[in-house]
Amino acid sequence: MRARIEQIDHAAMLAIARKRHPALTRALQVLTWTGQGWWWAFLVVLLASGIRFDFLRFPHREYVLTSMIAPGIAWVFVQALKLRYRRRRPFQVLPGFEKLTPAPVDESFPSGHTASVFAFFVAMLPLGPVVSAALAAWASVVAFSRYYLGVHFPSDIFVGALIGILAGASTGAVRPALGADRPDKYGSYVELAKHAKEGNDFRVEARDRGAKVLVLAIHGGIEPGSAELAEAIAGENANLYTFRALESYAGDFFDLHVTAANFDDPRALALAKASDVCVSIHGYRDAKTETVCLGGGNRRVRARVENALHATFPELVLREECKSIEGVNRKNIVNRCREKGVQLELSKKLRDRLANSAADFSKFAAATRSAVLSGRPKD
């Protein structure tokens, strides 16, 4: 079997040598570098620094960073097989065969470039078809470049791709421990509503009271306590929109999570358009500290809310524009009101406290409501 595979590999290398074209060669000589180990190391350092110091902002940046673990996992298995088989490269065994790119000094089998790009491609699959299609095309071109440029046999590339696929699939097991965000199953509320049934899987409450303030909770049930707090803040005077995942939903509640920048329920958008200021209530993972992350595009009202919460609960940790949950994106539902709004992200520990203390729950809602309505004409 091994002799037959080598025979096919040698024939394939000689065949591609006769099909090379200068323009294609130049393009593949550039693209092949994107599978190099130093390139991955550079991207990891850049992205980790961008997250740590907050100079790179884009959706699911933590998810992308943890996806870069996949090429590292693939590298371990690639190196083990290289040491086991110690296969020489095509230009080393085929007389007169020319390589068209600098070749690594290690063994040929399997292809490390191919393993790394396929590992990253598979790890990123949950981010949706557009990202997946682009990465699939890129990974395929990089893999082909290793064959075309003469530094790997086809079987090296085939096994490298298999290793990459397995490594990419394995990242799902390590992401929860690293705290990486999970991408949404649906790209918008409109898409969600095509697959989940209102009244059975989720419930929406939209109350237009002709008010100047809209209070929202778009992740009720998914982020426990957020919808109840939104209702208390709104009281009987503010406009209210809540989305709640219901216990009757058969799947994982997070399947019904739509990020705020993509939340496009027409009822919520209509209420936002009719309101001056939005207040959006969310929850996030942090079981250790009682924290409120304040975001949203209306800094003036945000400052009033921060001052009110500090005066009422001086022991709380109040932070502004926490990484990844800043709420400043203009497409965020909280910024669809005429004067934008304030996004409050409550830690799990704080939400647990409010759920277990009716007095604290009432004081938090009252302080927030008073700060938002302060200085506004009565509706």
Side-chain angles (χ1 to χ4, degrees):
M1 174 65 73
R2 182 171 179 176
R4 178 58 177 161
I5 291 173
E6 289 188 350
Q7 183 181 12
I8 295 172
D9 277 342
H10 291 186
M13 298 311 300
L14 295 175
I16 197 65
R18 296 191 292 268
K19 301 293 185 180
R20 289 164 166 171
H21 186 279
L24 181 59
T25 298
R26 286 192 294 271
L28 293 180
Q29 284 172 334
V30 173
L31 287 170
T32 200
W33 283 101
T34 61
Q36 287 277 49
W38 63 263
W39 175 246
W40 291 109
F42 168 76
L43 288 178
V44 167
V45 171
L46 176 64
L47 185 51
S49 299
I51 293 172
R52 173 65 180 81
F53 299 105
D54 206 25
F55 62 81
L56 289 178
R57 294 186 178 185
F58 56 88
H60 305 303
R61 57 185 184 177
E62 288 85 359
Y63 192 92
V64 175
L65 180 61
T66 56
S67 294
M68 292 182 182
I69 295 171
I73 296 172
W75 180 86
V76 173
F77 289 97
V78 165
Q79 294 307 309
L81 289 176
K82 284 180 181 289
L83 291 174
R84 171 67 177 82
Y85 290 100
R86 296 188 178 280
R87 187 182 196 184
R88 299 169 69 194
R89 294 182 180 271
F91 61 88
Q92 295 173 321
V93 298
L94 296 175
F97 187 85
E98 181 185 6
K99 70 180 190 305
L100 301 180
T101 189
V105 296
D106 60 357
E107 290 73 18
S108 184
F109 178 84
S111 169
H113 280 63
T114 303
S116 64
V117 295
F118 269 85
F120 185 67
F121 154 57
V122 172
M124 293 281 283
L125 282 174
L127 290 188
V130 175
V131 172
S132 298
L135 290 177
W138 164 71
S140 299
V141 170
V142 171
F144 176 74
S145 74
R146 306 310 286 169
Y147 162 57
Y148 177 93
L149 297 173
V151 291
H152 278 292
F153 292 105
S155 60
D156 300 340
I157 294 163
F158 177 75
V159 174
L162 288 180
I163 292 172
I165 290 169
L166 293 174
S170 72
T171 57
V174 300
R175 278 201 177 97
L178 298 173
D181 60 336
R182 173 179 166 184
D184 293 338
K185 182 175 182 179
Y186 303 111
S188 66
Y189 169 86
V190 171
E191 183 183 351
L192 178 152
K194 293 177 181 177
H195 298 85
K197 186 177 180 181
E198 184 171 350
N200 184 64
D201 300 324
F202 66 92
R203 182 173 72 248
V204 169
E205 183 177 1
R207 296 186 182 179
D208 184 354
R209 294 166 171 149
K212 301 296 184 182
V213 173
L214 167 64
V215 185
L216 307 108
I218 62 173
H219 298 147
I222 306 164
E223 296 166 357
S226 59
E228 293 78 7
L229 185 57
E231 288 180 334
I233 293 171
E236 296 298 325
N237 300 318
N239 298 330
L240 176 68
Y241 176 94
T242 60
F243 172 102
R244 277 189 176 90
L246 298 178
E247 291 294 338
S248 53
Y249 179 62
D252 183 340
F253 271 11
F254 198 86
D255 290 348
L256 301 178
H257 181 282
V258 175
T259 193
N262 296 333
F263 198 85
D264 58 355
D265 183 348
R267 292 165 291 187
L269 295 176
L271 283 171
K273 186 177 181 181
S275 306
D276 287 346
V277 174
C278 287
V279 180
S280 190
I281 309 301
H282 295 263
Y284 76 103
R285 295 184 303 258
D286 182 354
K288 296 180 179 180
T289 61
E290 294 182 345
T291 303
V292 180
C293 286
L294 298 103
N298 192 317
R299 297 177 184 273
R300 177 175 54 84
V301 178
R302 184 206 303 177
R304 292 208 304 264
V305 173
E306 183 174 4
N307 291 336
L309 290 177
H310 179 70
T312 308
F313 298 96
E315 73 280 10
L316 294 186
V317 177
L318 303 176
R319 300 169 55 199
E320 292 194 2
E321 296 188 11
C322 301
K323 295 173 183 176
S324 302
I325 50 175
E326 304 95 334
V328 295
N329 188 320
R330 64 181 179 82
K331 294 182 179 180
N332 188 316
I333 188 68
V334 77
N335 296 319
R336 296 298 190 103
C337 286
R338 288 189 286 261
E339 299 174 17
K340 301 183 181 180
V342 180
Q343 179 170 290
L344 300 182
E345 293 269 2
L346 281 67
S347 68
K348 181 181 184 302
K349 186 171 183 179
L350 176 57
R351 283 180 285 128
D352 288 345
R353 172 183 169 179
L354 299 182
N356 293 319
S357 172
D360 285 345
F361 180 88
S362 297
K363 287 196 297 181
F364 191 101
T368 304
R369 180 171 59 251
S370 175
V372 173
L373 296 178
S374 175
R376 305 197 66 80
K378 293 185 178 181
D379 298 312

